[in-house]
């Protein structure tokens, strides 16, 4: 139970750090110059383009964490299964 | 006499618990087909006009699309809870059943928002899959994922012949969801950055 809480807490901390680093980095301010005009053509505007890029990147980070957690769990379960499927080593006969 | 009534109530309750979801799914399915088949043209036009401000395209507010996608992303939290790995902790979090209900509710809410943004039911470019950065393809994938989710939750359990297919169903559902996100990102990226 405590291990599960710790695992979720670790995941939350890692996610918070990555998200904080993204928000603090210049990447969160980045909008390609060429895309502003195109975004206005599509009815979004420069603010809309910035929002769209940031939204995609933040959601991608969230999904990457969820996917990473799921893959880690699957690999862990597989490892446990294969370990338990292994036959125990035979004990040497008593003399 | 009273005992017979109680037994019947219990039987009805058990029947509804077992088949309620399936019955609702079938009723909704028939209602959707009937809606498309018999809705008069004036009503279709009125619905299209009513939903126009929320549809994707020029001078429209994409808030409903963002809200819809956010709900779908939040629904993926179910994956995290399901994989906590400690049954007692899962019970403490409310049990996987409650989280599955939340997953379904959030996904359906998101689906409605995204369908309105996509121009459903009468302004959706059904066959033009690649326009606006694969917008239609992403919507089709969301519909497919929803149908697959409904099948997994409400139908497969009651069809013994389908039980064997369940091992294939779950990875399929995951792949469909992943593809939906890939094409949705492509759509947002394209609309924000490039024309067409």
């Amino acid at each position: 139970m405590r291990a599960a809480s710790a695992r979720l807490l670790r995941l939350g901390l890692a996610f918070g750090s990555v998200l904080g680093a993204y928000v603090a980095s210049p990447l969160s301010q980045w909008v390609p110059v060429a895309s502003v005009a195109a975004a206005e053509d599509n009815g979004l505007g420069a603010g809309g383009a910035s929002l769209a890029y940031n939204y995609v990147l933040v959601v991608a980070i969230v999904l990457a964490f969820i996917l990473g957690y799921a893959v880690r769990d699957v690999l862990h379960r597989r490892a446990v299964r294969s370990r338990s499927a292994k036959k125990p080593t035979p004990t040497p006969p008593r003399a | 006499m009273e005992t017979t009534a109680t037994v019947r109530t219990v039987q009805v309750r058990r029947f509804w618990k077992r088949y309620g979801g399936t019955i609702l799914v079938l009723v909704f399915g028939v209602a959707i087909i009937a809606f498309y088949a018999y809705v008069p043209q004036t009503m279709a036009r009125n619905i299209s006009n009513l939903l126009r401000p929320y549809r994707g395209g020029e001078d429209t507010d994409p808030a409903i699309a963002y809200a819809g996608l956010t709900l779908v992303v939040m629904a993926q939290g179910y994956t995290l809870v399901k994989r906590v790995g400690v049954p007692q902790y899962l019970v403490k979090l409310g049990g996987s059943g409650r989280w599955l209900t939340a997953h379904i509710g959030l996904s359906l809410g998101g689906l409605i928002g995204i369908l309105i943004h996509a121009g459903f039911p009468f302004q959706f470019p059904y066959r033009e899959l690649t326009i606006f950065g694969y917008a239609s393809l992403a919507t089709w994938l969301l519909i497919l994922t929803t149908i697959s989710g409904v099948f997994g939750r409400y139908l497969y359990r009651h069809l013994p012949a389908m039980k064997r297919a369940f091992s294939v169903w779950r990875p399929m559902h995951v792949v469909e969801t992943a593809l939906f996100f890939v094409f949705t990102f492509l759509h947002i990226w394209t609309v924000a950055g490039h024309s067409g």
Side-chain angles (χ1 to χ4, degrees):
Chain A
M1 189 115 139
R2 199 174 284 174
S5 304
R7 206 197 295 175
L8 279 182
L9 186 69
R10 270 205 305 274
L11 183 79
L13 282 175
F15 173 67
S17 317
V18 172
L19 198 64
Y22 169 72
V23 171
S25 73
L27 192 63
S28 63
Q29 306 297 320
W30 171 77
V31 179
V33 179
S35 73
V36 175
E40 276 167 1
D41 281 351
N42 287 327
L44 277 176
S50 172
L51 175 71
Y53 283 122
N54 278 304
Y55 185 83
V56 166
L57 289 170
V58 169
V59 168
I61 291 170
V62 173
L63 291 175
F65 267 88
I66 293 176
L67 189 68
Y69 192 77
V71 169
R72 185 175 167 274
D73 181 64
V74 168
L75 292 178
H76 175 72
R77 277 186 199 192
R78 197 170 286 176
V80 168
R81 212 178 300 150
S82 70
R83 219 177 298 150
S84 63
K86 270 185 194 164
K87 281 181 186 170
T89 48
T91 48
R94 283 183 186 177
Chain B
M1 188 77 176
E2 202 173 298
T3 324
T4 321
T6 318
V7 168
R8 193 169 293 166
T9 316
V10 169
Q11 278 175 341
V12 167
R13 205 172 289 168
R14 201 174 291 162
F15 177 82
W16 185 247
K17 200 176 173 189
R18 196 164 179 196
Y19 297 108
T22 312
I23 292 169
L24 281 178
V25 167
L26 291 176
V27 168
F28 272 113
V30 171
I32 289 168
I33 292 167
F35 177 77
Y36 271 98
Y38 299 112
V39 73
Q41 216 168 7
T42 16
M43 194 178 161
R45 208 174 299 133
N46 287 341
I47 291 171
S48 294
N49 289 337
L50 188 76
L51 298 177
R52 184 170 291 164
Y54 308 104
R55 211 169 59 218
E58 284 187 29
D59 298 326
T60 49
D61 188 4
I64 199 161
Y66 281 124
L69 187 58
T70 307
L71 288 177
V72 176
V73 172
M74 281 165 69
Q76 308 313 312
Y78 170 64
T79 309
L80 286 183
V81 176
K82 206 175 61 172
R83 295 183 182 281
V84 162
V86 181
Q88 296 95 317
Y89 194 69
L90 191 59
V91 170
K92 201 180 164 192
L93 289 172
S96 65
R98 192 175 289 178
W99 282 86
L100 178 60
T101 310
H103 173 77
I104 293 167
L106 288 168
S107 302
L108 286 178
L111 172 76
I112 292 168
I114 290 169
L115 286 185
I116 291 171
H117 172 74
F120 259 82
F122 301 111
Q123 301 291 314
F124 179 61
Y126 287 88
R127 290 181 188 177
E128 297 162 72
L129 297 181
T130 54
I131 58 161
F132 296 118
Y134 299 97
S136 297
L137 183 59
T139 313
W140 274 121
L141 281 166
L142 182 61
I143 294 168
L144 188 70
T145 312
T146 308
I147 292 171
S148 139
V150 166
F151 171 80
R153 173 70 180 86
Y154 296 111
L155 299 180
Y156 103 93
R157 280 190 203 170
H158 310 301
L159 302 172
M162 290 289 172
K163 279 204 171 178
R164 214 171 169 189
F166 183 56
S167 56
V168 183
W169 169 80
R170 200 185 293 196
M172 288 269 289
H173 189 63
V174 173
V175 169
E176 284 156 11
T177 311
L179 281 175
F180 160 70
F181 280 115
V182 167
F183 283 104
T184 302
F185 287 170
L186 261 175
H187 164 62
I188 301 175
W189 202 267
T190 309
V191 170
H194 310 280
S195 306

